[in-house]
Amino acid sequence: MSETGSPGDELDRDTITGNEIANWLNAHGPDWVLRIEPLGEDPEYLGFVDGRFKLFKDDETIPIALHYISDLADRARTVESVPVEESPFSTADDEDEDADDES
């Protein structure tokens, strides 16, 4: 778990924009990710991983473009910050390391 508490600059789902999400991820990644629950959909995790914006969805880590972040901001029902260790990105990194060890 991260040594410090949640970042103080929380995002307001009612006024959030794609640029605000990108700026937040730039400022707080790689230690923190965002768990965003779009209206009527399963939660998605956004992070700034290995120098790129990435989405974890359907057991897969996918690089994403800024326009997707803006679209997700428009559909957000809830937004919360999560330590990367408590997110699916932590599991995805472990699986990548295991695959590297096997080769």
Side-chain angles (χ1 to χ4, degrees):
M1 200 159 138
S2 183
E3 292 180 21
T4 60
S6 178
D9 51 341
E10 296 298 319
L11 298 169
D12 179 3
R13 71 153 181 107
D14 293 326
T15 60
I16 196 169
T17 66
N19 285 338
E20 288 175 320
I21 291 174
N23 289 335
W24 191 96
L25 290 170
N26 277 322
H28 301 292
D31 297 326
W32 292 87
V33 299
L34 292 175
R35 180 185 182 274
I36 299 177
E37 188 174 339
L39 291 170
E41 297 179 36
D42 292 333
E44 300 181 14
Y45 288 83
L46 293 179
F48 193 68
V49 181
D50 300 327
R52 296 195 62 188
F53 294 111
K54 294 190 179 179
L55 167 74
F56 191 92
K57 185 176 181 179
D58 300 328
D59 297 327
E60 188 175 8
T61 303
I62 307 163
I64 56 172
L66 289 175
H67 70 64
Y68 183 83
I69 295 174
S70 293
D71 179 56
L72 189 57
D74 291 342
R75 299 180 289 124
R77 186 171 70 93
T78 62
V79 179
E80 65 181 283
S81 57
V82 178
V84 73
E85 297 89 2
E86 296 177 13
S87 76
F89 286 110
S90 178
T91 305
D93 290 343
D94 292 344
E95 290 172 4
D96 290 344
E97 288 174 12
D98 291 344
D100 290 343
D101 291 344
E102 291 174 5
S103 34

